[in-house]
């Protein structure tokens, strides 16, 4: 009987796999196997070590219970992997989304049912049995629900994307809201899963003292995760900081700035402005500042690491005291502890924007100055670095220096200008040479199809197809073309070199 | 997360296709997985890698513009800043947090305003001018410093191999 039940389970598993996933990828198989053995091993220890069952039918009951659970666990894990994989691809058929969602919903429903069963059993078997049985089920349910919600968010996202073509203003708002929502769901799900896991383990620990070392090891690992999770909370106050210190850009500023957001490369309908006048989407900026506290464009360090009480004051532009700004511009994780110690007397000042920039830059370190100088130099390569740095020392702002250059207040010394002219004249020459070379030596008969192919590349290069298979094909053709061209050029050069060598041989 | 990364990668792919920089082609190997690209880089003119077309693989993280991609040449390479397994060691590919060598200023590191195009262009300039202070391949760095002729010979062989021309 039991054997048959297991057989049916396996068959069912196969069927579901065929139906929903089709062929499994190698990495998925690998992970599935790992998970499976892990689960079996773990539950084996649980059944014999912790509950210490005596009778064979009890063992059988536990085993079948866990087999069913493990099966569902594996399925949910698999669908999570598959979901992550699908989210990597822009062209997923609608149907596979439906199938995956249906499977997830089924798993969720089944876990709810199993929870009911465990309540029922627990009613007769006592609290401990219930707790042991239900813990895993609840975990399963939570994980599944988590995946479902993530999936739903992702689908919503994709829909939004296709909707953007029609109306852009709506999307901006939805996007703004989506960031915090996804963050909170992520956080709450992971936290509840971890807490339940923790309670489960603690329970096991109390129940049996035999496997103390083993279980406590696992618990320690869980605790570490929990700790890590809670550390992520600084997201919250990065956001607060952002909202209080950096104003939203006005509509005029947005209109003047025609660029897209530099982080996601999408249009900005609303944006937040950093003290260095760079604009970004609110959510994009937030997720970057979580990992690094500098402006993505100009690397200006932001003084996020000082959540001083003065932030409760009206949201004017704040200039922190200079002692604070001297700190290293590292991850703000390290400043979590010190932020209670460093309640240095901050003052809030109302200043115009340019002054704020200057104030913030007073303590800019040398490396920052260097970086700024390099930035200016990429715009104006004819001006030597030293001149730029000198000017930056005075202006303390990339923008002001660039303005100086544009207004002609900052010019390159004459030597450099000469050099620049030389470079400019020499560049077209080399270009000409490289262009001329192939055309003069193109009378090798094997390359007679040359002209057709070059035309082809021009056409290929200036098109971005809507259909992905066509894109793939074009990319492939372009790559092959490039290798062919390089080959041809190389052979020609070799022949030319050989000919030149032969000529010089003849002459001598 | 992956949604916005996908959109950004699509935008970059489009840009690289419509305005490809000289001697660079890049795009997803298979559009089933948009986070794995292949790039072809032409060796810069006037250097020992001139004429070669070097294939490389780019692997993007799910939170892409926030974390840098990984880049690995899939052909044989001999260069001071490329590990012997093909991984590329340049500062633009390092996240601001970690500093394995301890010498890079954060200004040259990864930031979300960087892009595939900028990475590939810096790889081209790295091919042209190796930085022999960061020795990803110590042998290559040593040879580059002390025995340039030998280095050029090896580079020439690699160039031929990438073009499928017998040496």
């Amino acid at each position: 009987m039991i054997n048959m039940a297991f057989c049916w389970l396996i068959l069912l598993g196969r069927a579901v796999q065929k139906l929903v996933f089709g062929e499994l990828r190698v990495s998925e198989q690998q992970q599935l196997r790992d998970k499976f053995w892990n689960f079996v091993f773990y539950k084996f220890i649980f059944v014999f070590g912790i509950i210490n069952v005596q009778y064979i039918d009890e063992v059988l009951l536990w085993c079948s219970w866990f087999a069913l659970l493990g099966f569902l666990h594996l399925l949910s894990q698999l669908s999570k992997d598959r979901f992550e994989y699908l989210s990597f691809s822009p062209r997923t058929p609608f149907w596979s989304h439906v199938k995956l969602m249906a499977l997830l919903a089924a798993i969720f429903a089944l876990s709810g049912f199993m929870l009911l069963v465990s309540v029922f059993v627990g009613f007769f078997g006592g609290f401990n049995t219930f707790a042991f049985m239900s813990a895993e089920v609840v975990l399963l349910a939570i994980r599944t629900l988590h995946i479902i919600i993530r999936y739903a968010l992702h689908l919503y996202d994709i829909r939004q994307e296709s909707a953007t073509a029609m109306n852009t203003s709506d999307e901006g708002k939805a996007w703004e809201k989506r960031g915090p929502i996804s963050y909170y769901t992520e956080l709450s799900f992971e936290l509840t899963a971890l807490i339940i896991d923790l309670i489960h383990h603690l329970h096991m620990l109390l129940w049996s003292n035999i496997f103390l070392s083993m279980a406590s090891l696992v618990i320690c690992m869980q605790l570490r995760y929990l700790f890590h999770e809670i550390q992520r909370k600084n997201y919250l106050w990065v956001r607060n900081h952002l909202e209080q210190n950096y104003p939203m850009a006005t509509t005029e500023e947005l209109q003047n700035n025609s660029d897209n957001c530099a982080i996601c490369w999408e249009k900005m309908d609303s944006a937040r402005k950093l003290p260095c006048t760079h604009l970004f989407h609110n959510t994009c900026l937030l997720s970057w500042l979580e990992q690094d506290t500098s402006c993505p464009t100009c690397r200006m360090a932001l003084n996020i690491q000082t959540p001083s009480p003065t932030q409760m004051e009206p949201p004017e532009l704040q200039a922190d005291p200079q002692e604070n700004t001297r700190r290293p511009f590292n991850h703000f994780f390290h400043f979590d502890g010190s932020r209670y110690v460093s309640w240095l007397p901050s003052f809030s000042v109302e200043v115009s924007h340019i002054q704020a920039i200057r104030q913030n830059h007073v303590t800019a370190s040398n490396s920052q100055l260097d970086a700024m100088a390099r930035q200016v130099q990429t715009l104006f390569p004819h001006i030597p670095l030293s001149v730029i740095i000198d000017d930056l020392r005075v202006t303390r702002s990339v923008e002001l220096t660039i303005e100086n250059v544009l207004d002609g207040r900052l010019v390159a010394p004459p030597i450099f200008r000469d050099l620049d002219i030389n470079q400019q004249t020499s560049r077209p020459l080399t270009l000409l040479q490289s262009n001329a070379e192939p055309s003069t030596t193109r009378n090798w008969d094997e390359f007679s199809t040359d002209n057709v192919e070059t035309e082809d590349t021009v056409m290929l290069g200036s098109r971005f197809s809507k259909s992905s298979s066509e894109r793939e094909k074009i990319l492939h053709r372009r790559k092959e073309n490039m290798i062919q061209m390089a080959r041809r050029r190389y052979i020609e050069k070799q022949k030319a070199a050989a000919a030149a060598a032969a000529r010089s041989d003849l002459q001598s | 997360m992956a949604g916005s990364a996908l959109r950004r990668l699509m935008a970059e792919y489009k840009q690289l296709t419509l305005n490809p920089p000289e001697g660079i082609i890049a795009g997803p190997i298979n559009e089933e997985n948009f986070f794995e690209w292949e790039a072809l880089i032409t060796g810069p003119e006037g250097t020992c890698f001139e004429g070669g077309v070097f294939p490389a693989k780019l692997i993007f993280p799910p939170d892409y513009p926030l974390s840098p991609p990984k880049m690995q040449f899939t052909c044989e390479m001999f260069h001071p800043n490329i590990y012997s397994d093909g991984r590329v060691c340049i500062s633009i590919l390092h996240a601001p947090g970690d500093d394995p060598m301890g010498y890079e200023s954060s200004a040259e590191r990864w930031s979300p305003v960087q892009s595939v195009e900028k990475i590939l262009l810096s790889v081209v300039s790295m091919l042209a001018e190796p930085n022999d202070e960061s020795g990803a391949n110590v042998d290559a760095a040593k040879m580059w410093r002390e025995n340039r002729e030998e280095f050029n010979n090896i580079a020439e062989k690699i160039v031929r191999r990438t073009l499928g021309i017998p040496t």
Side-chain angles (χ1 to χ4, degrees):
Chain A
M1 233 287 278
I2 301 265
N3 261 336
M4 204 175 79
F6 276 117
C7 259
W8 274 111
L9 194 64
I10 291 171
L11 277 179
L12 185 70
R14 279 270 154 209
V16 169
Q17 187 220 312
K18 274 272 173 325
L19 199 69
V20 181
F21 300 110
E23 198 63 21
L24 290 183
R25 287 178 306 129
V26 181
S27 68
E28 277 174 347
Q29 271 175 352
Q30 182 66 36
Q31 212 173 2
L32 209 60
R33 216 169 295 136
D34 286 355
K35 264 262 165 353
F36 176 69
W37 287 116
N38 214 348
F39 192 81
V40 167
F41 172 71
Y42 195 50
K43 288 311 162 198
F44 187 78
I45 286 179
F46 176 74
V47 169
F48 292 102
I50 295 181
I51 316 186
N52 218 348
V53 278
Q54 307 294 342
Y55 307 106
I56 187 72
D57 44 344
E58 246 182 286
V59 174
L60 273 180
L61 273 179
W62 277 110
C63 278
S64 38
W65 176 255
F66 282 127
L68 195 58
L69 251 181
F71 173 67
L72 290 180
H73 253 304
L74 288 183
L75 270 185
S76 77
Q77 179 68 34
L78 193 58
S79 38
K80 184 178 164 214
D81 285 352
R82 184 47 72 95
F83 153 63
E84 271 161 13
Y85 179 67
L86 283 183
S87 69
F88 276 10
S89 158
R91 50 148 198 223
T92 310
F94 176 70
W95 189 231
S96 63
H97 284 313
V98 172
K99 280 195 286 192
L100 208 52
M101 266 310 218
L103 178 66
L104 280 169
I107 294 175
F108 186 62
L110 259 179
S111 67
F113 173 70
M114 285 176 81
L115 185 65
L116 275 183
V117 170
S118 71
V119 168
F120 187 68
V121 172
F123 198 68
F124 297 107
F127 174 73
N128 277 315
T129 329
F130 163 68
F132 280 136
M133 280 174 83
S134 61
E136 280 287 328
V137 181
V138 174
L139 266 184
L140 173 68
I142 285 179
R143 284 198 188 128
T144 317
L145 195 62
H146 184 189
I147 302 169
I148 290 179
I149 289 188
R150 266 180 63 192
Y151 205 159
L153 276 175
H154 176 72
L155 286 182
Y156 176 72
D157 231 33
I158 290 180
R159 258 232 333 262
Q160 284 293 332
E161 183 189 0
S162 47
T164 35
M166 270 66 92
N167 52 341
T168 42
S169 60
D170 254 13
E171 197 261 354
K173 265 181 229 148
W175 186 247
E176 293 283 294
K177 258 191 288 169
R178 187 192 161 277
I181 289 177
S182 71
Y183 173 76
Y184 279 122
T185 49
E186 200 92 336
L187 183 75
S188 55
F189 274 116
E190 271 168 37
L191 265 184
T192 34
L194 279 172
I195 286 172
I196 287 172
D197 221 12
L198 188 71
I199 291 172
H200 182 52
H201 281 112
L202 275 177
H203 187 197
M204 282 203 299
L205 195 71
L206 291 177
W207 181 259
S208 74
N209 301 320
I210 319 160
F211 273 78
L212 194 75
S213 57
M214 182 80 183
S216 59
L217 200 76
V218 177
I219 286 180
C220 279
M221 271 164 60
Q222 300 290 344
L223 274 180
R224 217 190 48 209
Y225 275 126
L226 205 64
F227 189 65
H228 179 73
E229 210 51 40
I230 289 170
Q231 265 207 340
R232 270 176 44 181
K233 281 210 163 160
N234 53 30
Y235 165 89
L236 277 185
W237 78 260
V238 170
R239 200 180 68 181
N240 281 339
H241 179 86
L242 213 62
E243 274 168 10
Q244 287 176 358
N245 284 26
Y246 309 125
M248 295 300 282
T250 59
T251 40
E252 289 162 49
E253 280 171 322
L254 276 173
Q255 274 162 6
N256 290 337
N257 181 318
S258 57
D259 290 349
N260 290 345
C261 167
I263 296 179
C264 65
W265 286 29
E266 275 164 52
K267 202 168 159 278
M268 284 192 285
D269 294 306
S270 65
R272 220 167 255 291
K273 189 166 79 177
L274 290 180
C276 48
T277 72
H278 290 116
L279 302 178
F280 301 98
H281 278 134
N282 191 16
T283 39
C284 297
L285 187 62
L286 191 59
S287 43
W288 170 247
L289 290 184
E290 263 180 272
Q291 64 183 77
D292 191 78
T293 60
S294 63
C295 166
T297 306
C298 67
R299 295 284 185 190
M300 194 193 88
L302 307 167
N303 301 307
I304 285 197
Q305 60 269 37
T306 52
S308 47
T310 46
Q311 278 178 10
M312 303 305 145
E313 286 171 29
E316 285 144 17
L317 273 180
Q318 291 189 358
D320 286 358
Q322 295 183 2
E323 300 98 298
N324 273 1
T325 53
R326 254 335 267 198
R327 297 211 193 154
F329 326 106
N330 267 335
H331 276 219
F332 45 79
F333 301 130
H334 309 303
F335 295 97
D336 271 3
S338 69
R339 73 177 199 237
Y340 300 104
V341 194
S342 61
W343 284 354
L344 293 166
S346 309
F347 53 91
S348 94
V349 223
E350 212 169 335
V351 280
S352 77
H353 197 73
I354 288 188
Q355 276 171 324
I357 291 175
R358 293 202 171 150
Q359 196 111 38
N360 276 338
H361 271 88
V362 168
T363 47
S365 65
N366 264 337
S367 72
Q368 229 179 316
L369 208 64
D370 235 35
M372 282 153 61
R374 235 170 283 145
Q375 206 189 331
V376 177
Q377 209 186 16
T378 51
L379 290 173
F380 306 102
H382 63 279
I383 298 181
L385 205 59
S386 54
V387 177
I388 296 174
I389 289 182
D390 283 346
D391 190 65
L392 276 172
R393 282 222 176 85
V394 183
T395 59
R396 299 271 162 204
S397 142
V398 176
E399 277 73 24
L400 291 180
T401 305
I402 290 175
E403 240 171 67
N404 280 348
V405 176
L406 289 177
D407 294 351
R409 265 169 277 169
L410 191 67
V411 284
I415 318 158
F416 282 96
R417 257 182 289 172
D418 287 351
L419 259 179
D420 186 48
I421 289 165
N422 279 341
Q423 275 173 358
Q424 273 183 346
T425 48
S426 67
R427 208 174 298 142
L429 259 181
T430 51
L431 269 179
L432 266 181
Q433 278 170 348
S434 63
N435 279 344
E437 221 167 10
S439 60
T440 50
T441 50
R442 202 179 277 159
N443 35 22
W444 308 97
D445 39 8
E446 51 197 298
F447 309 126
S448 51
T449 52
D450 247 1
N451 286 330
V452 183
E453 278 188 32
T454 43
E455 230 168 71
D456 215 19
T457 48
V458 172
M459 192 223 35
L460 291 174
S462 55
R463 226 156 60 90
F464 190 71
S465 171
K466 274 260 190 282
S467 112
S468 60
S469 55
E470 200 176 340
R471 277 199 302 256
E472 266 172 24
K473 237 179 271 163
I474 289 178
L475 183 70
H476 191 71
R477 287 245 301 281
R478 280 178 60 210
K479 282 182 188 167
E480 277 183 351
N481 244 319
M482 182 164 158
I483 295 175
Q484 289 293 322
M485 297 276 271
R487 247 186 98 135
R488 198 174 306 136
R489 230 177 295 151
Y490 188 85
I491 292 173
E492 275 165 23
K493 207 170 253 176
Q494 290 296 310
K495 284 187 177 163
R503 228 178 296 136
S504 64
D505 267 2
L506 273 178
Q507 277 171 1
S508 66
Chain B
M1 216 40 176
S4 57
L6 196 60
R7 277 200 293 268
R8 156 109 188 218
L9 282 173
M10 186 63 107
E12 291 204 36
Y13 181 31
K14 188 169 179 181
Q15 205 203 23
L16 279 169
T17 309
L18 295 181
N19 311 304
E22 175 88 37
I24 288 176
I25 292 180
I29 298 172
N30 176 348
E31 293 209 11
E32 289 282 314
N33 184 351
F34 230 83
F35 287 62
E36 246 184 80
W37 285 29
E38 190 188 46
L40 293 184
I41 298 173
T42 313
E45 273 182 42
T47 70
C48 53
F49 293 102
E50 175 173 348
V53 176
F54 307 101
K57 209 164 60 177
L58 285 156
I59 310 270
F60 296 91
D63 62 342
Y64 162 55
L66 302 177
S67 313
K70 289 191 178 70
M71 182 168 177
Q72 186 171 22
F73 277 100
T74 48
C75 64
E76 183 199 354
M77 271 311 229
F78 188 73
H79 187 280
N81 307 116
I82 300 174
Y83 290 98
S84 45
D85 63 353
R87 277 179 301 130
V88 179
C89 175
I90 46 174
S91 55
I92 194 177
L93 287 177
H94 294 150
D98 56 56
D99 190 354
M101 308 292 173
Y103 64 91
E104 296 157 341
S105 76
S106 77
E108 307 161 330
R109 306 287 199 79
W110 176 257
S111 115
V113 298
Q114 309 288 10
S115 61
V116 178
E117 183 177 342
K118 284 186 195 154
I119 292 172
L120 295 178
L121 287 175
S122 9
V123 168
V124 170
S125 67
M126 174 200 81
L127 287 178
E129 295 162 15
N131 170 11
D132 57 1
E133 276 168 30
S134 92
N137 184 341
V138 182
D139 294 337
K142 202 168 164 220
M143 196 181 286
W144 168 262
R145 261 199 307 266
E146 291 164 9
N147 192 350
R148 190 65 63 87
E149 208 163 301
E150 174 100 32
F151 186 92
N152 289 348
N153 278 340
I154 292 179
E156 173 84 18
K157 260 184 209 145
I158 291 172
V159 166
R160 277 164 174 268
R161 227 165 277 162
T162 63
L163 296 175
I165 296 169
T167 44

